[in-house]
Amino acid sequence: MRQFIPFVEKPPLIAVVRLQGAIGVGARGMSDAGMASAIERAFGRGKPVAIALQINSPGGSPTQSALIAARIRRLADEKNVPVSAFVEDIAASGGYWLATAADEIIVDANSITGSIGVISASFGLHEFIGKHGIERRVHAAGQSKSFMDPFRPEKPEDVERLGALQKVIHANFIDQVKARRGSKLREGVDLFTGDIWVGRQAVDVGLADAVGHLVPTMKERFGEKTRFSVHGPKRGLLRRLGAEAMNGVVGAVEDRAMWARFGL
């Protein structure tokens, strides 16, 4: 009944945005388009005193990571609301990019953070298809159109070009971390090799600010009566009924591979 009584001050509200899973545009991937409504709701409903990002992601698409992080920062600046990131199991690679959207990053003692780098993985299948009598036929206009074709022998010039592209993305990632973390980053430590840090190690090198958990941290700051509203992507009816089962299986395999890179 409190909400219907005028002039009665409501307890502080913390809007929690769940950023969970691999980042990408597939059936299971976390994308800017998929997260947009949840992020907008978090900033726009109930006049929250702060936004808490609940992150558990091994990374994925650098573009989608940048778009989601930029959306959060844009709304934080427009609404003048502080943002805190709380890392669960992992915020690595693109997952850490998301964490940099916050004004502070808080981790669990066992959280994995970092992996500030760029990776590309595929398979070389040209010998396999040759042994099975399969002929690869590709017709392209443009000498680079069949770049890194997994059904053809790897070309040194393709590897060199891929490395150049990765350097551009890596530089953008580094710029994001430096812009958001600034003087918090420890000098004399190379944080951009793709290495990872666990718990307090991340705090020690400046990739995180403290060890803690979402609810107790926010209640300590805003009081025991602090309210929490949780916002995440909404699944359509067809997805809930399992109509995308095949895509889900493929996506699950891809997700499993990403988590496995970090021993999770």
Side-chain angles (χ1 to χ4, degrees), residues 166-233:
Q166 290 178 321
K167 285 181 180 179
V168 174
I169 299 173
H170 192 200
N172 293 336
F173 197 172
I174 293 172
D175 288 344
Q176 169 73 8
V177 175
K178 288 183 175 180
R180 294 298 304 155
R181 299 297 298 171
S183 60
K184 294 180 179 180
L185 300 175
R186 183 198 283 184
E187 295 183 2
V189 180
D190 190 350
L191 302 173
F192 309 119
T193 63
D195 201 356
I196 57 176
W197 286 264
V198 177
R200 188 162 294 281
Q201 291 179 338
V203 178
D204 292 340
V205 299
L207 292 179
D209 298 286
V211 173
H213 298 145
L214 195 159
V215 171
T217 297
M218 288 307 186
K219 283 191 173 183
E220 182 179 352
R221 293 179 184 178
F222 298 101
E224 282 298 319
K225 294 184 178 180
T226 298
R227 298 171 296 146
F228 298 87
S229 61
V230 180
H231 304 271

Side-chain angles (χ1 to χ4, degrees), residues 9 52 62-63 73 149 168 170 231 259:
E9 185 177 353
T63 301
R73 281 314 320 158
D149 187 334
V168 174
H170 192 200
H231 304 271
W259 290 94

Side-chain angles (χ1 to χ4, degrees), residues 146-168:
S146 62
F147 173 66
M148 296 297 290
D149 187 334
F151 295 99
R152 290 183 170 181
E154 192 171 65
K155 300 177 183 178
E157 56 269 29
D158 281 0
V159 176
E160 183 178 356
R161 182 176 173 227
L162 177 62
L165 296 174
Q166 290 178 321
K167 285 181 180 179
V168 174

